[in-house]
Amino acid sequence: MVRDLKAMLGFNATAWICIVTLYLPILVLIAFSFNANRSVVLWTEFSLDWYVKAMDNDGIRNAAWVSVKIALFATVISTVAATMAALATTRTKRFAGQGMVYGIINQPLMIPEIVTAIATLSLFALVKRMTGLTGIGYLMLAHAAFCIPFAYMPIRARLENMTLTLEQAAADLYAPPLKVFTLVTLPLLGPGIVSGAMLAFVVSLDDVIITLMVAGPGETTLPIYILGAIRRGITPEINAVSTILVAVSVLLVVLLFFVQRRMQR
């Protein structure tokens, strides 16, 4: 079947067009991040100066730190919530409305992000008015909320592929439910939890729309900083920061690959 598909007229050409369209802009961005010239379309010579300037830029460092803090908080909260939701929807007897529960958990993936952003802004504005509380906590909670579906998908998929044999065997040997969960279910579920956590971290780190709506003064994340800088013109310094983000993403994917392979042994 695979050979037949590859033999179809235009299959290889279509595949190469997709690959080039997807990766060529990224390769151009990476190449011009090493350009000594300030222009992003005129290559002169190789240089690391823009990486040094990016590292020395207080605005970029502060924005990166804010992004990492928010992403870490959102990852922990969303992964815990997604794990509990996945267990509740796969390790219990079927119940009326189970399909609706799946749909409600995954619904944020289908709703335009701008709608989620406006709804979150309205809710937090009401909470601020009622409590008078302000701070970065609202932004962290907003990121945690929209990251839950992204963490839920790989965790639920892992649970659905796990047989109940080992858990039932442990229960037959009179292991209490908590011990079955901590010594059997949780280790087997590990690759799914790691995948969900990394996906939530990357999604939170990359978010722009919800952050624009909810962020208060002094809560500038790295994507928001880059967006503001681009309005003044793209520079190799922005290309350097973007290249670092690409490197972090690749590093996370490689790390995820080795962690999953180690856990599956």
Side-chain angles (χ1 to χ4, degrees), residues 51 135 145 164 179 186:
Y51 284 88
L164 290 170
K179 186 167 284 186
L186 202 55

Side-chain angles (χ1 to χ4, degrees), residues 224-242:
I224 300 300
Y225 180 90
I226 292 175
L227 187 63
I230 287 176
R231 288 172 179 165
R232 299 189 293 273
I234 299 177
T235 67
E237 187 178 12
I238 297 301
N239 287 348
V241 175
S242 301

Side-chain angles (χ1 to χ4, degrees), residues 245-261:
L245 288 176
V246 172
V248 171
S249 300
V250 172
L251 183 64
L252 286 175
V253 171
V254 173
L255 182 63
L256 175 63
F257 172 76
F258 284 107
V259 168
Q260 285 189 327
R261 197 169 68 168

Side-chain angles (χ1 to χ4, degrees), residues 28 47 66 79 90 94 98 101 157 198 211 213 231 263:
V28 170
S47 173
V66 171
T79 303
T90 58
R94 290 196 63 83
Q98 190 169 11
V101 172
M198 286 192 173
T211 305
M213 291 285 182
R231 288 172 179 165
M263 286 183 169

Side-chain angles (χ1 to χ4, degrees), residues 8-253:
M8 288 176 59
L9 181 64
F11 179 86
N12 289 333
T14 304
W16 276 110
I17 289 173
C18 293
I19 292 173
V20 170
T21 305
L22 185 62
Y23 288 105
L24 183 59
I26 297 176
L27 293 177
V28 170
L29 178 147
I30 293 174
F32 276 94
S33 70
F34 296 102
N35 185 16
N37 196 316
R38 185 176 179 81
S39 171
V40 293
V41 293
L42 180 62
W43 177 269
T44 52
E45 61 179 335
F46 180 86
S47 173
L48 294 174
D49 288 348
W50 297 107
Y51 284 88
V52 176
K53 289 180 180 179
M55 295 295 181
D56 289 338
N57 188 319
D58 290 337
I60 292 177
R61 288 208 306 266
N62 292 336
W65 175 234
V66 171
S67 289
V68 170
K69 279 193 301 184
I70 294 171
L72 287 176
F73 178 87
T75 298
V76 172
I77 299 300
S78 62
T79 303
V80 171
T83 302
M84 295 171 66
L87 288 168
T89 53
T90 58
R91 283 298 187 267
T92 56
K93 294 180 180 177
R94 290 196 63 83
F95 54 88
Q98 190 169 11
M100 184 181 296
V101 172
Y102 287 149
I104 291 173
I105 295 175
N106 291 320
Q107 191 61 35
L109 298 175
M110 303 301 294
I111 296 176
E113 193 174 351
I114 186 65
V115 176
T116 304
I118 294 172
T120 306
L121 175 64
S122 302
L123 174 64
F124 287 159
L126 181 62
V127 174
K128 287 179 183 177
R129 184 176 179 182
M130 294 175 64
T131 63
L133 296 175
T134 58
I136 198 171
Y138 292 105
L139 189 54
M140 290 179 169
L141 288 175
H143 276 234
F146 79 80
C147 283
I148 288 175
F150 294 96
Y152 175 76
M153 288 188 297
I155 296 173
R156 178 191 163 192
R158 176 67 179 171
L159 272 172
E160 288 180 336
N161 289 329
M162 285 168 48
T163 65
L164 290 170
T165 305
L166 293 177
E167 294 166 76
Q168 290 172 341
D172 290 342
L173 294 173
Y174 301 105
L178 182 60
K179 186 167 284 186
V180 173
F181 175 73
T182 55
L183 297 183
V184 180
T185 306
L186 202 55
L188 292 174
L189 187 55
I193 294 176
V194 173
S195 300
M198 286 192 173
L199 187 57
F201 182 83
V202 172
V203 169
S204 172
L205 199 67
D206 186 50
D207 179 74
V208 172
I209 298 179
I210 291 178
T211 305
L212 270 176
M213 291 285 182
V214 180
E219 298 171 4
T220 303
T221 61
L222 191 56
I224 300 300
Y225 180 90
I226 292 175
L227 187 63
I230 287 176
R231 288 172 179 165
R232 299 189 293 273
I234 299 177
T235 67
E237 187 178 12
I238 297 301
N239 287 348
V241 175
S242 301
T243 302
I244 293 173
L245 288 176
V246 172
V248 171
S249 300
V250 172
L251 183 64
L252 286 175
V253 171

